Amino acid sequence: ANCAGSDSAYITTSWTQPVIGAICETAIGVAALPYNTSDDTANYGDDYTGSPGAISCGTSSSYLNGDDVVYAYTATADATINVAMSAIGNAYSGVFVYTDGANIGTECVAGFGNGSSTDDYSLEVSVTNGTTYYVVISTWASPQSTTYTLDITEIACTAPTFDTATIVESCNPDGSGTFTVDIIV
């Protein structure tokens, strides 16, 4: 630049594009349910360490020591969602749900660590309208990363139906004509 007739010095700086999904501030947005994706935690790096937190996490082991990925879902209603993991590539992986990015590693709403298994697993989470939930998938330091399929679905309430209804004759001695109905749901 040329300010008031004299040249000014150039300033250089380096900047790295943040990896979408690496941390809660750049979480992968889950816009609507049902949500399905298949991925690998190796694509996101190792940004969290230690235990997922002792409260409601399903484990207090070091499941945040491997590569981790973060998804963000803002509930659109008071409901229950199901967070399911399948096609898990390595054992010692886990999925943990938080209501605040600052709580990652300290206080879970729900969570599950699969230990030495690669079996599919799922957990149910009660969600509150307007609250953002952070779903973190991570592993122990060894195996460091895992492939996975993540499904997040809302558990729909189904209106009750009934098979039969039978009127039970009145046994009321006062002659009021009252009766009861037995319904098999």
Side-chain angles (χ1 to χ4, degrees):
N2 187 339
C3 302
S6 63
D7 291 337
S8 59
Y10 288 95
I11 297 173
T12 61
T13 185
S14 63
W15 179 78
T16 304
Q17 174 69 28
V19 175
I20 302 300
I23 57 175
C24 72
E25 291 83 2
T26 62
I28 297 169
V30 175
L33 299 183
Y35 180 81
N36 170 273
T37 189
S38 294
D39 209 334
D40 189 329
T41 60
N43 296 327
Y44 301 96
D46 186 354
D47 296 287
Y48 298 100
T49 58
S51 167
I55 301 173
S56 302
C57 293
T59 182
S60 59
S61 296
S62 297
Y63 277 89
L64 295 181
N65 283 350
D67 294 331
D68 27 60
V69 58
V70 182
Y71 294 86
Y73 168 68
T74 301
T76 57
D78 293 350
T80 301
I81 62 171
N82 181 275
V83 179
M85 295 281 292
S86 60
I88 301 164
N90 286 310
Y92 300 103
S93 63
V95 61
F96 310 101
V97 181
Y98 302 88
T99 56
D100 188 333
N103 289 344
I104 294 175
T106 59
E107 188 176 340
C108 278
V109 173
F112 183 83
N114 68 350
S116 61
S117 170
T118 58
D119 292 345
D120 297 352
Y121 57 90
S122 66
L123 51 102
E124 292 183 4
V125 181
S126 294
V127 296
T128 303
N129 186 24
T131 301
T132 299
Y133 294 85
Y134 297 93
V135 177
V136 179
I137 301 168
S138 189
T139 62
W140 281 28
S142 177
Q144 188 62 34
S145 63
T146 189
T147 55
Y148 62 90
T149 295
L150 171 67
D151 287 288
I152 305 174
T153 55
E154 184 175 343
I155 298 173
C157 293
T158 304
T161 60
F162 63 91
D163 295 327
T164 60
T166 307
I167 297 176
V168 179
E169 293 299 321
S170 176
C171 293
N172 194 337
D174 68 3
S176 64
T178 60
F179 61 93
T180 59
V181 177
D182 288 340
I183 298 177
I184 299 172
V185 178

